[in-house]
Amino acid sequence: ADIADGDYTVTATITDAANNSGTAQGNGTVDTLDPTLTLDGLGTFNDNTPIISGSSDEIGATVTVNVSDDSNSYQLSAVVQADGSWSVQIIDALDDGAITITANVSDAAGNQ
């Protein structure tokens, strides 16, 4: 059966043939849930170095943002703040026209 997400304490006990026993205990967390990530829409804008922003429930995690125009590709990063917001400003001017933006965040368990 699957183990539900959450914090766990695991105890292991071993007994040898002479009836001597030993015990070890450890703590861990099961996390199978993907973090949430939103990307705020930019619409049409006249700023070639816009601020890209969004939100996530993975406080303190790094959001990787990939931005590309017709000529260039940029990889940027932002940290999710305590209120769940994140933002990053494009440093190098984007070309006029359509741009593509993708964003990704991972949690401590590697869920994306």
Side-chain angles (χ1 to χ4, degrees):
D2 291 340
I3 298 175
D5 282 12
D7 295 329
Y8 291 92
T9 300
V10 177
T11 304
T13 303
I14 187 168
T15 305
D16 65 13
N19 211 24
N20 299 308
S21 63
T23 302
Q25 191 172 60
N27 297 317
T29 301
V30 174
D31 177 4
T32 62
L33 302 175
D34 294 340
T36 62
L37 178 66
T38 62
L39 180 63
D40 297 337
L42 291 175
T44 301
F45 56 94
N46 65 355
D47 178 357
N48 60 1
T49 58
I51 294 175
I52 299 170
S53 60
S55 62
S56 176
D57 63 353
E58 200 59 38
I59 308 305
T62 299
V63 177
T64 302
V65 181
N66 294 295
V67 181
S68 59
D69 58 25
D70 287 335
S71 304
N72 306 293
S73 294
Y74 306 100
Q75 186 174 66
L76 308 162
S77 61
V79 174
V80 180
Q81 302 301 305
D83 66 355
S85 66
W86 60 268
S87 64
V88 63
Q89 183 162 11
I90 303 293
I91 302 298
D92 298 319
L94 296 169
D95 292 343
D96 285 346
I99 62 171
T100 301
I101 303 170
T102 59
N104 186 12
V105 68
S106 298
D107 64 16
N111 301 311
Q112 296 183 359

